[in-house]
């Protein structure tokens, strides 16, 4: 996705929060802010890739503060919230075990995002209020058709906590479809995105082929992906992508010659505009086709 004007303010807000999480050194944070301003001055322009800009800024912060995981505590909080709400969602799925409902619950999990919404957001309240919302863009029937004709699926993960509900959806897919499922997380920490240890914590390595993208990019930044991951990315029959960062990156690609579905909550005005929906709407949208 190309940047919208409001992405600039969001990048600065997010960089301030990340610096505050990463360091207490005010002089260092001033130096980093100066470097970020220089970076944005040279790179924030019409046609720039939104999630590549975000990735580069967070890399600057991690390197300059010597803190590889500024959102470590927020990731733990995300896991805690997901576990607290898990039984509530299991009851909902017991009443309605349709694929659409499993997809919807996994998208509600996408709200567990301290990077997009800010570290002071009451995510538990926001998640609970989303239970009765309908999907604003609903391509679930198209997803069903793709699942029926596919033999392999690449599932692009987003945040910690959220992957608890991804696991529920994946278990549903394993039950209903004859699929080999590969679950991709980040190689190294970025924001509150899931890494290998987060996926193993809830047993996703037991039911999927657990891999990493080989990098720490926000979503998919194709040039930053490892060669090994690119081979899998290009080989799998079907892609299910979670979250805004992956959507931002996937929409930068011309075509993948395969069915690609993005499942997300539009947590910012730029993503909402790009999708043609309202902010905080939930969507299942098909991007590409074979």
């Amino acid at each position: 996705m190309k940047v919208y004007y409001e992405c600039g303010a969001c990048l600065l807000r997010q960089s301030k929060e990340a610096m505050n999480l990463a360091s207490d050194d005010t002089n260092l944070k001033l130096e980093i802010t100066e470097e970020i301003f220089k970076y944005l001055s040279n790179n924030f322009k019409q046609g720039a890739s939104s999630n590549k800009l975000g990735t580069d800024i967070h890399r600057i912060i991690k390197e300059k503060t010597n803190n590889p995981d500024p959102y470590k505590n927020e990731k733990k909080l995300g896991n805690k919230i997901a576990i607290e709400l898990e039984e509530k969602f299991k009851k909902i799925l017991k009443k309605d075990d349709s694929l659409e409902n499993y997809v919807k619950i996994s998208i509600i999990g996408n709200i567990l995002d301290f990077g997009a919404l800010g570290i002071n957001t009451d995510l538990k309240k926001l998640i609970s209020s989303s239970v009765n919302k309908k999907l604003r863009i609903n391509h679930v029937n198209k997803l069903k058709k793709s699942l029926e004709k596919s033999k392999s699926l690449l599932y692009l993960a987003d945040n910690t906590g959220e992957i608890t509900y991804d696991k529920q959806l994946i278990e549903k897919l394993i039950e209903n479809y004859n699929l080999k499922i590969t679950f991709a997380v980040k190689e190294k920490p970025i924001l509150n995105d899931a890494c290998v240890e987060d996926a193993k914590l809830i047993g996703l390595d037991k039911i999927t082929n657990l891999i990493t993208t080989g990098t720490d990019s926000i979503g998919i930044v194709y040039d930053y992906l490892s060669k090994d991951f690119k081979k899998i990315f290009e080989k799998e029959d079907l892609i299910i992508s979670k979250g805004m960062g992956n959507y931002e990156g996937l929409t930068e690609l011309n075509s993948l010659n395969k069915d690609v579905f993005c499942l997300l909550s539009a947590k910012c005005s730029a993503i909402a505009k790009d999708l043609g929906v309202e902010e905080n709407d939930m969507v299942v949208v098909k991007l590409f086709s074979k």
Side-chain angles (χ1 to χ4, degrees):
M1 188 184 84
K2 307 302 183 187
V3 290
Y4 286 76
Y5 81 90
E6 53 263 64
C7 294
C10 182
L11 288 167
L12 291 175
R13 184 270 304 165
Q14 201 176 95
S15 65
K16 176 188 173 185
E17 291 183 346
M19 282 188 285
N20 286 339
L21 292 172
S23 175
D24 294 325
D25 187 333
T26 55
N27 290 327
L28 176 61
K29 287 189 280 190
L30 188 59
E31 290 176 21
I32 296 170
T33 302
E34 184 179 348
E35 183 166 342
I36 289 171
F37 280 148
K38 288 178 181 177
Y39 173 82
L40 288 174
S41 177
N42 291 324
N43 294 282
F44 188 88
K45 59 187 72 173
Q46 191 167 7
S49 168
S50 54
N51 64 321
K52 183 180 183 299
L53 293 176
T55 298
D56 291 347
I57 285 172
H58 281 280
R59 285 179 171 180
I60 290 169
I61 294 167
K62 289 190 292 180
E63 180 183 349
K64 294 295 182 180
T65 61
N66 198 28
N67 186 332
D69 194 4
Y71 287 78
K72 184 176 182 179
N73 290 330
E74 280 62 37
K75 288 159 71 175
K76 290 178 180 177
L77 178 57
N79 286 333
K80 181 175 181 289
I81 293 170
I83 291 168
E84 287 175 356
L85 293 171
E86 188 175 9
E87 285 305 313
K88 176 180 181 177
F89 290 130
K90 281 183 176 180
K91 289 178 182 178
I92 292 171
L93 292 170
K94 192 172 183 180
K95 290 180 181 178
D96 177 2
D97 67 348
S98 64
L99 178 62
E100 180 172 332
N101 220 29
Y102 273 85
V103 166
K104 181 182 169 185
I105 295 298
S106 79
I107 296 172
I108 290 174
N110 185 237
I111 296 168
L112 279 166
D113 189 349
F114 291 97
L117 294 171
I119 58 176
N120 295 317
T121 304
D122 188 344
L123 296 181
K124 191 171 182 180
K125 181 179 179 181
L126 195 55
I127 289 171
S128 296
S129 68
S130 298
V131 172
N132 295 319
K133 290 174 67 174
K134 293 183 178 180
L135 298 172
R136 180 55 65 96
I137 300 176
N138 186 346
H139 290 173
V140 171
N141 286 334
K142 293 179 181 180
L143 175 59
K144 286 180 182 178
K145 291 178 181 179
S146 294
L147 288 164
E148 288 166 359
K149 68 182 182 182
S150 298
K151 293 182 179 179
S152 62
L153 163 67
L154 174 61
Y155 198 109
L156 301 176
D158 193 13
N159 304 313
T160 59
E162 174 181 353
I163 60 173
T164 299
Y165 308 126
D166 292 329
K167 183 184 178 185
Q168 292 178 342
L169 173 57
I170 287 169
E171 288 171 338
K172 178 70 171 177
L173 297 179
I174 291 171
E175 180 184 339
N176 289 2
Y177 301 95
N178 183 28
L179 282 169
K180 176 190 172 186
I181 300 177
T182 297
F183 192 80
V185 295
K186 299 299 160 53
E187 176 76 19
K188 295 179 289 185
I190 183 80
L191 293 168
N192 59 317
D193 287 17
C195 294
V196 169
E197 58 268 28
D198 304 303
K200 284 185 174 180
L201 188 66
I202 60 171
L204 274 161
D205 58 316
K206 302 291 195 302
I207 62 173
T208 68
N209 174 33
L210 179 62
I211 64 168
T212 79
T213 60
T215 186
D216 61 346
S217 62
I218 297 174
I220 293 294
V221 179
Y222 192 80
D223 291 344
Y224 293 169
L225 302 173
S226 69
K227 290 181 180 179
D228 288 342
F229 179 77
K230 283 180 180 177
K231 289 178 183 177
I232 295 170
F233 185 70
E234 291 159 7
K235 180 185 72 174
E236 302 291 20
D237 294 337
L238 169 65
I239 293 176
I240 290 179
S241 162
K242 287 298 297 294
M244 298 197 304
N246 284 322
Y247 170 83
E248 291 172 69
L250 288 168
T251 51
E252 287 290 287
L253 305 176
N254 292 325
S255 176
L256 289 177
N257 193 33
K258 65 183 69 189
D259 292 349
V260 177
F261 290 85
C262 291
L263 284 56
L264 61 94
S265 172
K267 291 164 290 193
C268 75
S269 58
I271 293 283
K273 285 179 182 178
D274 209 66
L275 285 162
V277 300
E278 298 296 321
E279 203 167 339
N280 295 318
D281 279 345
M282 300 187 296
V283 307
V284 179
V285 60
K286 187 176 184 181
L287 288 188
F288 302 117
S289 299
K290 285 185 180 179

